[in-house]
Amino acid sequence: MTPPNTANDADAAPIVPSHSAEVRPGSARAWLLAARPQTLTAAFVPVAVGAAVALAEHGARWAPALAALLGAFAIQIGTNFANDVFDFEKGADTDARVGPTRAVHAGLLSPRAMRRGMIASFGVATLAGAYLVVVGGYPVVLIGLASIASGIAYTGGPFPLGYNGLGDVFVMVFFGFVAVCGTAYVSLGYVPTLAWWASAPVGALATTILVVNNVRDRETDRTVGKRTLAVRFGLGGAIAEYAFLLTIAYAVPLVLWWSGASPVAVLAPLVTLPWAAWLLVRVATRSGTALNPVLASTAKLLLVYGVAFAVGLGWDSAPW
């Protein structure tokens, strides 16, 4: 399926569907919708956990942590803008889409405007990164460039990761290991073992958000040749992946406590285990638009788990 002809006209836009008629094209609300603020939990949690690791290692530095948070938010928003415009141009966003409104497809923003927004967002991330380079040295340059390039390559370029079954790996690596370990690094000047352990559950839960998204969209993705893992391995494979990722998330706090690497407070995220089990059942038994609330709840689970995990990691070193 090819995208509408308006994809070739940067200033043209398709007819606005009724579900987005209350948002004026080109307005601040249109940009807010395109930024998808509900996804920013996936940017906030890794930085919070990375800062908690630095606190646990007695090397917390709040200015680098805040700069890392700004950069993470900017990269997340820039990636959302890139997904919006590139999915539209590749024909993945159609009237059959059951997910949240995409701004370009709905005619709320033109492809040209969205590209400019993407560049501006990555520009903000670069400015935050420039400060972090001063703090952490040139390794931060590699982290920043890789993060931005991957954000674009998720749906753009000749080999889009999301279209070739690598989106899950991207999320696990960049929203887990890179974000958590990178935040710890700019505070400590090195990456402690605790950061590697702490990044695993964060990346795993961030990836569960993508799994729900891919389960919901697997039929339309298959139609346009988007070969996500949910398309490649079917619903059973996606459910197994979701369960495996949850297992990682809830096993790591136990390992950290049992090994003596963290205080008993690190077990705090386990109070969310019944919630996670409830979500697993919903992923296995719902489809289409019924998965939208499950997607939102999975993002909320990441936030609540992440805050509890960060507090638990830094509990013994916190000033209380």
Side-chain angles (χ1 to χ4, degrees):
M1 181 178 295
T2 58
N5 291 334
T6 51
N8 298 320
D9 182 351
D11 293 317
I15 297 174
V16 180
S18 59
H19 60 269
S20 59
E22 68 277 8
V23 180
R24 184 169 57 86
S27 66
R29 287 188 63 191
W31 282 106
L32 182 63
L33 183 149
R36 295 166 63 194
Q38 70 274 14
T39 67
L40 295 184
T41 58
F44 168 76
V45 168
V47 175
V49 170
V53 168
L55 181 62
E57 297 286 325
H58 307 289
R61 299 172 64 191
W62 300 115
L66 290 174
L69 182 61
L70 174 62
F73 280 165
I75 290 175
Q76 176 67 60
I77 292 171
T79 301
N80 289 341
F81 288 167
N83 292 348
D84 199 306
V85 67
F86 292 141
D87 274 343
F88 171 75
E89 292 177 346
K90 292 178 184 297
D93 287 343
T94 69
D95 291 338
R97 176 179 168 81
V98 294
T101 302
R102 287 291 184 90
V104 174
H105 174 253
L108 301 175
L109 294 167
S110 71
R112 178 179 296 174
M114 189 64 79
R115 287 176 182 273
R116 288 174 176 171
M118 176 186 70
I119 293 170
S121 296
F122 288 138
V124 171
T126 300
L127 291 176
Y131 166 73
L132 293 174
V133 169
V134 174
V135 172
Y138 287 102
V140 177
V141 176
L142 298 178
I143 294 173
L145 290 177
S147 298
I148 293 173
S150 295
I152 296 172
Y154 184 79
T155 48
F159 189 79
L161 302 175
Y163 283 72
N164 290 281
L166 296 175
D168 307 68
V169 176
F170 161 80
V171 173
M172 185 71 188
V173 170
F174 283 94
F175 288 87
F177 298 110
V178 172
V180 174
C181 293
T183 301
Y185 174 80
V186 295
S187 287
L188 298 168
Y190 66 96
V191 180
T193 301
L194 180 61
W196 292 106
W197 277 100
S199 62
V202 174
L205 285 181
T207 307
T208 61
I209 299 173
L210 180 63
V211 173
V212 180
N213 182 83
N214 290 344
V215 169
R216 182 198 64 199
D217 295 344
R218 67 188 188 280
E219 295 303 327
T220 53
D221 285 346
R222 180 182 291 110
T223 301
V224 300
K226 191 173 183 179
R227 302 286 291 171
T228 65
L229 293 186
V231 171
R232 290 176 181 269
F233 300 107
L235 178 60
I239 295 170
E241 180 188 4
Y242 194 92
F244 176 67
L245 293 168
L246 291 180
T247 301
I248 293 174
Y250 290 96
V252 168
L254 288 168
V255 171
L256 291 176
W257 170 69
W258 178 80
S259 66
S262 295
V264 68
V266 79
L267 298 178
L270 269 62
V271 301
T272 64
L273 182 56
W275 184 6
W278 179 83
L279 287 172
L280 176 59
V281 172
R282 295 303 184 274
V283 172
T285 58
R286 295 187 177 184
S287 62
T289 56
L291 282 170
N292 285 335
V294 180
L295 181 65
S297 292
T298 301
K300 292 175 182 176
L301 173 65
L302 170 62
L303 177 61
V304 175
Y305 178 106
V307 170
F309 191 40
V311 171
L313 286 167
W315 185 264
D316 281 355
S317 301
W320 45 53

